[in-house]
Amino acid sequence: MAVTVAVKIQGVNSVNIMLDRIKESARDMTSPLKKGGLIMLMSVALNFKRSGRPKTWRPLAKSTLRWKIMHGYSPFPLIRSGDLRRSFVYRVENRNGLLVGTAVKYAPFHQFGTRTMPARPFLVFQRQDIRQIKELILKHIAGAK
């Protein structure tokens, strides 16, 4: 007894059209990356507001805290003039890259610390930030608005 199996492929053209559309969408990620940049800026702002996330920054030394209060500055870490906190920007590069950062020259000393100053990382993105950005990118590629 012979069994014959016939396979008919339907919709090859529509699959190719869909794949071409996905490829085109993936060439220019400007739109989701701009939205992702805003998410990252909000994340940095929240890091300042909560004195670090997920772990809190090391408290200020008592002498530093006294000095700041005596001179009328905020008692919170990394906030004196507010210049660093307000300085963050993002830029989409080459339609497929996103840069987030600051031009404030003393930022790396606070981000990474020094021999005499503890690190207080403010440029830290949370899992939920990355998840949101990933969703934006997947929706963009799939063609969802």
Side-chain angles (χ1 to χ4, degrees):
M1 172 187 246
V3 176
T4 304
V5 176
V7 177
K8 184 176 180 183
I9 300 175
Q10 294 182 357
V12 172
N13 286 339
S14 61
V15 170
N16 284 335
I17 290 168
M18 181 183 70
L19 290 174
D20 285 342
R21 194 190 73 221
I22 288 171
K23 188 170 95 175
E24 253 335 283
S25 294
R27 285 181 205 254
D28 187 354
M29 302 298 286
T30 303
S31 177
L33 291 177
K34 280 183 177 181
K35 293 173 187 172
L38 292 173
I39 289 168
M40 294 170 119
L41 292 183
M42 288 188 295
S43 186
V44 170
L46 199 52
N47 291 342
F48 274 88
K49 184 177 181 178
R50 292 189 182 166
S51 292
R53 293 182 305 151
K55 297 177 183 175
T56 57
W57 295 330
R58 202 159 117 197
L60 293 173
K62 287 180 183 178
S63 59
T64 303
L65 184 58
R66 269 194 308 272
W67 184 90
K68 286 183 80 174
I69 291 170
M70 236 174 55
H71 290 87
Y73 297 121
S74 167
F76 297 102
L78 295 190
I79 301 173
R80 184 190 286 183
S81 66
D83 288 347
L84 177 61
R85 183 178 53 183
R86 287 188 302 272
S87 70
F88 289 89
V89 295
Y90 72 90
R91 181 175 70 227
V92 176
E93 288 205 334
N94 299 323
R95 301 181 313 183
N96 285 314
L98 179 64
L99 296 174
V100 178
T102 177
V104 172
K105 293 188 186 318
Y106 56 84
F109 302 115
H110 291 296
Q111 176 76 14
F112 302 110
T114 66
R115 280 201 275 146
T116 58
M117 185 172 59
R120 291 189 175 95
F122 42 80
L123 198 55
V124 176
F125 305 109
Q126 310 304 309
R127 283 191 180 117
Q128 68 263 24
D129 303 330
I130 304 304
R131 209 170 315 139
Q132 280 182 295
I133 295 167
K134 188 177 178 181
E135 282 178 31
L136 289 169
I137 291 169
L138 290 174
K139 283 180 183 178
H140 175 78
I141 290 171
K145 299 292 178 202

